[in-house]
């Protein structure tokens, strides 16, 4: 019976691995071709994160210099993993279509907001509404620019410094908490570590974490988002979860397929760039990222190696300012924050 199952697994063009209690129990020919360490009786490589609280998951992981997308399902304590090399292009047709749709929407909002100021002088321009539309448009352009530069290989030689991931998480939660509270969202931070050092880029990891928090806040509407951090062997695990409702089957299918479908997102669904940016940043740090779900709202698990560390680097977590001095926290959370937080009185 086992031989017939193995023969069936070997017919698949993707890598397939079966795991129980962290140990590989079966791997097809393609899986062994991609990762030679996938042998029955050996532990699953730690860069492949398995669902903990959910029954299904999808994400991306790095092994050596190669990047893979994967999905997994759990049942009765056993996990089945399907993986394949990640696409070389960072921007899919679906994302490009969604980007163009969102860009037209934002430009239309801006024109509607400045229209009265250029027409009837008695009408006042809503600086708050204009500010929010401007932040959302700039965030969209930043994501598109990032994926373009990533596709061109401009980020391949990124130098990672020794940084305090726990300090960065605490700093971001301190900055984001009062803003999200205005949107009816409570952001909490839970950590078993104090001063967790990793090799990383503070600006990029800040962007990644804020993007995950923004997605969770959108999903919950009004409720609670939790960022947790813990150490597991030689890796740091950051988890973003919320107490929102379970997505519908179509949304779950989109997550499971890693957003590779070519159908254009519907209005209100976004461009689909944020999660791709987050996964790319995780891969640049030789990390992995898994979106898992089951009976509750999806949870994102970010796994990053804690070494090797550069002893010459200064250990600090700077406040990163880009985009002409606009607050990066306000920028990354612009999709979920209320309009009154975006007054531009302090800008030239």
């Amino acid at each position: 019976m086992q031989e017939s199952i193995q023969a069936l697994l070997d017919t698949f063009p993707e890598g397939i691995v079966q795991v129980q209690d962290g140990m590989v129990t079966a791997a097809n020919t393609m899986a062994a071709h991609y990762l030679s360490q996938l042998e029955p009786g050996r532990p699953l490589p730690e860069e492949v994160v398995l669902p903990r609280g959910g029954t299904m998951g999808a994400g991306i992981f790095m092994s050596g210099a190669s990047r893979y997308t994967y999905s997994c399902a759990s049942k009765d304590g056993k996990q089945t993993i399907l993986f394949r090399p990640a696409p070389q292009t960072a921007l899919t047709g679906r994302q490009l279509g969604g980007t163009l749709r969102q860009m037209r929407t934002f430009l239309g909002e801006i024109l509607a907001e400045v229209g009265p100021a250029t027409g009837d002088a008695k009408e006042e321009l809503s600086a708050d509404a204009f500010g929010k539309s401007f932040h959302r448009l700039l965030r969209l352009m930043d994501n598109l620019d990032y994926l373009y530069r990533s596709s061109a290989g401009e980020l391949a030689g990124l130098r990672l410094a020794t940084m305090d991931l726990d300090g960065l998480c605490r700093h971001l939660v301190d900055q984001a908490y009062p803003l999200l509270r205005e949107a009816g969202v409570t952001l909490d931070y839970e950590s078993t570590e104090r001063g967790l050092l990793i090799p990383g880029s503070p600006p990029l990891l800040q962007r990644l974490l804020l993007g995950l928090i923004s997605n969770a806040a959108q999903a919950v509407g009004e409720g609670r988002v939790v960022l947790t951090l813990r150490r597991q062997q030689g890796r740091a695990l950051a988890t973003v979860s919320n107490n929102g409702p379970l997505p519908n089957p179509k949304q779950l299918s989109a997550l499971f397929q890693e957003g590779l479908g070519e159908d254009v997102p519907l209005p209100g669904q976004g461009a689909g760039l944020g999660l791709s940016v987050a996964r790319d940043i995780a891969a640049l740090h030789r990390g992995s990222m898994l979106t898992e779900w089951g009976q509750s709202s999806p949870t994102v698990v970010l796994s990053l190696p804690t070494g090797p560390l550069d002893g010459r680097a200064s250990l600090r977590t700077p406040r990163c300012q880009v985009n002409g001095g606009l607050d990066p926290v306000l920028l990354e959370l612009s999709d979920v924050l209320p309009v009154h937080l975006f007054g531009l009185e302090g800008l030239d």
Side-chain angles (χ1 to χ4, degrees), residues 10-72:
D10 287 340
T11 64
F12 284 81
E14 300 89 358
I16 299 179
V17 187
Q18 294 181 323
V19 180
Q20 186 171 12
D21 298 327
M23 304 296 290
V24 176
T25 59
N28 71 348
T29 302
M30 191 58 69
H33 170 72
Y34 290 140
L35 304 177
S36 60
Q37 64 268 46
L38 292 176
E39 297 180 1
R42 296 185 63 178
L44 184 72
E46 62 179 359
E47 59 262 28
V48 184
V49 181
L50 295 177
R52 289 167 51 92
T55 57
M56 302 183 71
I60 187 169
F61 70 89
M62 291 288 294
S63 181
S66 300
R67 184 183 307 191
Y68 299 92
T69 58
Y70 73 114
S71 55
C72 50

Side-chain angles (χ1 to χ4, degrees), residues 116-160:
T118 58
D120 189 347
K122 296 180 180 180
E123 296 285 346
E124 293 185 0
L125 172 64
S126 172
D128 294 353
F130 177 85
K132 175 164 182 170
S133 294
F134 182 82
H135 278 74
R136 296 180 74 195
L137 180 60
L138 184 57
R139 178 174 181 265
L140 179 65
M141 295 301 298
D142 275 354
N143 285 341
L144 189 61
D145 177 68
Y146 175 92
L147 293 176
Y148 172 78
R149 290 189 294 117
S150 177
S151 297
E154 295 181 15
L155 303 175
L158 179 68
R159 181 177 179 271
L160 303 181

Side-chain angles (χ1 to χ4, degrees), residues 4 26 28 31 47 73 100 118 122-123 158 167 173-174 183 187 189 209 232 247 300 302 319 323 331 338:
S4 63
N28 71 348
E47 59 262 28
L100 293 174
T118 58
K122 296 180 180 180
E123 296 285 346
L158 179 68
V173 171
D174 287 344
L187 175 63
Y189 177 57
L209 291 171
Q232 180 174 291
V300 178
L302 171 68
R319 178 175 174 83
N323 291 315
L331 186 70

Side-chain angles (χ1 to χ4, degrees), residues 274-348:
L275 199 55
S276 290
V277 169
R279 287 171 177 155
D280 193 81
I281 293 174
L284 283 175
H285 286 77
R286 304 190 62 76
S288 60
M289 198 172 78
L290 172 74
T291 303
E292 64 176 43
W293 61 89
Q295 301 303 315
S296 61
S297 185
T299 295
V300 178
V301 182
L302 171 68
S303 172
L304 299 171
T306 56
L309 299 177
D310 184 354
R312 297 171 299 175
S314 59
L315 306 182
R316 62 190 183 95
T317 303
R319 178 175 174 83
C320 310
Q321 287 286 355
V322 293
N323 291 315
L326 291 182
D327 185 348
V329 179
L330 200 64
L331 186 70
E332 291 298 329
L333 300 180
S334 56
D335 282 339
V336 297
L337 297 179
V339 169
H340 71 266
L341 295 175
F342 291 89
L344 299 178
E345 292 85 356
L347 298 179
D348 293 332

